[in-house]
Amino acid sequence: MSELPSEITIGELSRRSGVAASALRFYERQGLIQSKRTSGNQRRYPRSALRLVAFIRASHHLGIPLEVIGSVLDFLPDGAAPDHAFWQRASACWSAELNKRIEQLECMRDRFTECIGCGCLSFEQCVLVNPGDVLAEKGPGPARLVMD
């Protein structure tokens, strides 16, 4: 049985990860993944880049900014792939961020529901459309919908 090469091309990394080569180059510019250059100036990635890209995609899919993902990846030794222990530590980091986002979304949902429930349609008191009731100076009615 032949041994797999220790490095892969950007084309193979793209094909195997499902991430466009342009995105991989962007990840590299951001310091999220690293490559070596051949004498012909072609990129070669360590096989561990496959797991790194999977981690980046999964984290970014959750809405974690690439900058934050990079700060967590800094805990990995160079060339190392994320292992089970790393994924657990990253999950703990993301939990606080995700809980904060869930709380914000629930607050927005509740505000939106309250706005729909009031039926005012004048936007005089609406905290979503008219914060601080600045439209009260224009008088009663739907100030933003009716043009005089």
Side-chain angles (χ1 to χ4, degrees):
M1 184 158 102
S2 64
E3 192 173 309
L4 293 172
S6 62
E7 296 177 335
I8 58 177
T9 65
I10 191 169
E12 184 170 354
L13 181 57
S14 175
R15 182 181 61 77
R16 300 239 350 246
S17 67
V19 175
S22 59
L24 295 171
R25 288 188 291 273
F26 177 76
Y27 289 169
E28 190 171 348
R29 284 191 306 273
Q30 298 303 307
L32 300 173
I33 59 175
Q34 296 175 345
S35 69
K36 294 179 182 174
R37 298 295 182 124
T38 66
S39 59
N41 203 30
Q42 296 177 335
R43 289 177 166 87
R44 294 292 186 265
Y45 295 91
R47 287 200 168 277
S48 61
L50 285 164
R51 286 201 180 182
L52 284 173
V53 172
F55 174 79
I56 293 165
R57 288 189 70 196
S59 301
H60 201 235
H61 182 73
L62 292 174
I64 306 299
L66 290 177
E67 182 179 311
V68 176
I69 295 169
S71 66
V72 170
L73 286 175
D74 287 342
F75 293 117
L76 274 178
D78 284 344
D83 59 10
H84 184 70
F86 176 82
W87 279 81
Q88 286 183 319
R89 284 180 37 201
S91 178
C93 291
W94 297 168
S95 289
E97 179 70 24
L98 292 173
N99 286 339
K100 179 180 170 187
R101 289 187 185 175
I102 289 168
E103 185 179 315
Q104 289 170 337
L105 287 170
E106 287 175 340
C107 182
M108 286 173 33
R109 178 203 59 210
D110 294 346
R111 278 187 166 177
F112 189 71
T113 301
E114 289 170 8
C115 181
I116 295 299
C118 78
C120 71
L121 297 180
S122 70
F123 301 125
E124 284 184 31
Q125 300 293 324
C126 182
V127 296
L128 295 175
V129 180
N130 186 22
D133 198 17
V134 295
L135 293 177
E137 298 171 11
K138 296 187 181 232
R144 293 196 181 178
L145 298 177
V146 177
M147 304 293 184
D148 288 37

